Amino acid sequence: MTVYDELVARGLIAQVTNEEEIRKMVNEGKAVFYIGFDPTADSLHVGHFMALCLMKRLQMAGNKPIALIGGGTAMIGDPSGRTDMRQMMTKETIDHNVECFKKQMSRFIDFSEGKALMVNNADWLLDLNYVELLREVGSCFSVNNMLRAECYKQRMEKGLSFLEFNYMIMQSYDFLELYRKYGCNMQFGGNDQWSNMLGGTELIRRKLGKDAHAMTITLLLNSEGKKMGKTQSGAVWLDPNKTSPFDFYQYWRNVGDADVMKCIRMLTFLPLEEIDAMADWEGSQLNKAKEILAYELTKLVHGEEEAKKAQAAAKALFAQGAAADMPECVLTAEDFTDGSIDILGLLVKAELAATRSEARRNVTQGGVTLDGEKVTDIKASYTPDDLKGGAVLKRGKKKFKKIIAE
């Protein structure tokens, strides 16, 4: 099976502009491709997973990835796939987030010896002369075509600012610059980016001629992949200080039955033959598939040792045995008011509920236990002595923390 055929078999390709040429370039290891990442937080999250895994997969086949950090485009936000604009960030915040991204991406992509590049579009966008940009780039875009783009249709009811129109121009200019500077001949992105990506492909052809080899591919469900990063209690981050390896493992262990095989196929590096053998798994076998998914992805992000610890802790908890490697919430004296902490405060402190209101609903609905005993009183409170030896606090069947009072 060729590299491109494997991408198709794994369900990663949705649309392409020239499949025959793209197939040839990818299979021969001649693709110099980029994927963009918006530095809107100081950590990547699981919604970025598909893009990172794809970059790793293509690099292993001899192709050269370019990780484009949107330090420049982040200065104006991004309307794609949204009904409102993101909040503006300061340059200092963006620069900090960019540095965090670089460290995390290095776990997936080999940047040594020119095998991959990481660039920041702030390096060229922030120094652009506006009049020159209008002359060189703006004249290549039709406002009528832009209004037909899905990303702008979603914003029409609330109204579009001129700022938002500039985003497509800036993203297209990115591809032109990457083509000129680094020989980038291909771009990948999610379905929500398709219009912007087509703009970049067309810009290169108009500026450099019809023979310019600029190709466009979209990833299947990448826009849904971004949604993967969000759960009811917040985002699932790749940074272990934000989402522990145990919680990361549990996130994938608890994916829906309908999604588990799709995730294994798209995100893991297990051989397709092995994955195909699981295709007909049902019932309890799907739980085994979820364990495989959780272990493989935790190993990829946090290393084999952390993956083994997370797996062991999950099995121990499920068996109601020891919870030595379970993520902990350590309470200090400041967490206790008049010598105690109530159950609602405990749930919020342990990050098992985002707010006291959510915690109240969890308790009243019967979904909270402490050391195996259901907590039904929203006024239940606990002293440091009650928790000093460690107590397992659970919300529902899938969320838990070991509570320890210092």
Side-chain angles (χ1 to χ4, degrees), residues 126-250:
L126 298 187
D127 294 329
L128 281 174
N129 178 288
Y130 187 62
V131 173
E132 290 179 4
L133 179 68
L134 287 178
R135 284 173 59 89
E136 182 180 4
V137 181
S139 60
C140 298
F141 286 82
S142 161
V143 172
N144 290 345
N145 288 340
M146 293 171 76
L147 286 173
R148 284 193 288 268
E150 197 61 36
C151 59
Y152 291 119
K153 282 182 181 179
Q154 297 173 13
R155 294 278 292 123
M156 287 297 289
E157 291 185 7
K158 289 189 175 181
L160 287 164
S161 72
F162 181 66
L163 185 75
E164 293 165 76
F165 275 117
N166 278 265
Y167 191 87
M168 181 182 288
I169 294 174
M170 293 171 76
Q171 183 170 333
S172 299
Y173 187 78
D174 282 344
F175 196 14
L176 179 62
E177 279 295 291
L178 292 171
Y179 185 96
R180 287 169 168 169
K181 290 177 179 287
Y182 308 109
C184 180
N185 51 31
M186 198 176 296
Q187 58 180 334
F188 284 75
N191 290 338
D192 59 330
Q193 292 287 316
W194 182 243
S195 297
N196 290 346
M197 290 172 19
L198 288 178
T201 297
E202 181 61 23
L203 178 62
I204 289 176
R205 288 174 178 162
R206 292 191 63 173
K207 300 301 295 184
L208 304 179
K210 293 182 179 179
D211 294 333
H213 294 290
M215 300 296 149
T216 301
I217 294 181
T218 66
L219 308 183
L220 182 63
L221 299 177
N222 192 35
S223 49
E224 285 189 21
K226 293 177 182 178
K227 298 173 188 175
M228 287 182 184
K230 299 292 184 180
T231 67
Q232 289 183 347
S233 57
V236 178
W237 305 101
L238 305 194
D239 183 344
N241 295 315
K242 287 176 159 299
T243 298
S244 71
F246 177 83
D247 285 337
F248 186 85
Y249 178 96
Q250 284 298 110

Side-chain angles (χ1 to χ4, degrees), residues 204-346:
I204 289 176
R205 288 174 178 162
R206 292 191 63 173
K207 300 301 295 184
L208 304 179
K210 293 182 179 179
D211 294 333
H213 294 290
M215 300 296 149
T216 301
I217 294 181
T218 66
L219 308 183
L220 182 63
L221 299 177
N222 192 35
S223 49
E224 285 189 21
K226 293 177 182 178
K227 298 173 188 175
M228 287 182 184
K230 299 292 184 180
T231 67
Q232 289 183 347
S233 57
V236 178
W237 305 101
L238 305 194
D239 183 344
N241 295 315
K242 287 176 159 299
T243 298
S244 71
F246 177 83
D247 285 337
F248 186 85
Y249 178 96
Q250 284 298 110
Y251 172 82
W252 295 107
R253 172 62 181 81
N254 294 317
V255 299
D257 289 355
D259 295 327
V260 59
M261 293 311 304
K262 179 171 64 179
C263 288
I264 288 177
R265 193 174 295 276
M266 296 171 111
L267 303 178
T268 76
F269 287 79
L270 295 174
L272 281 172
E273 296 81 4
E274 185 176 337
I275 297 172
D276 289 340
M278 306 179 196
D280 296 327
W281 284 10
E282 296 178 349
S284 62
Q285 287 181 308
L286 282 178
N287 288 329
K288 177 62 177 177
K290 293 177 184 181
E291 290 178 3
I292 292 172
L293 172 68
Y295 179 82
E296 290 295 324
L297 298 190
T298 306
K299 181 174 69 172
L300 185 61
V301 175
H302 298 296
E304 188 171 10
E305 182 179 353
E306 290 296 336
K308 288 180 177 178
K309 288 169 61 178
Q311 186 178 60
K315 288 182 176 180
L317 185 73
F318 182 77
Q320 298 183 345
D325 293 320
M326 191 184 307
E328 297 179 350
C329 173
V330 179
L331 304 179
T332 64
E334 289 75 19
D335 295 312
F336 295 89
T337 302
D338 296 329
S340 66
I341 183 172
D342 67 9
I343 187 63
L344 305 186
L346 198 57

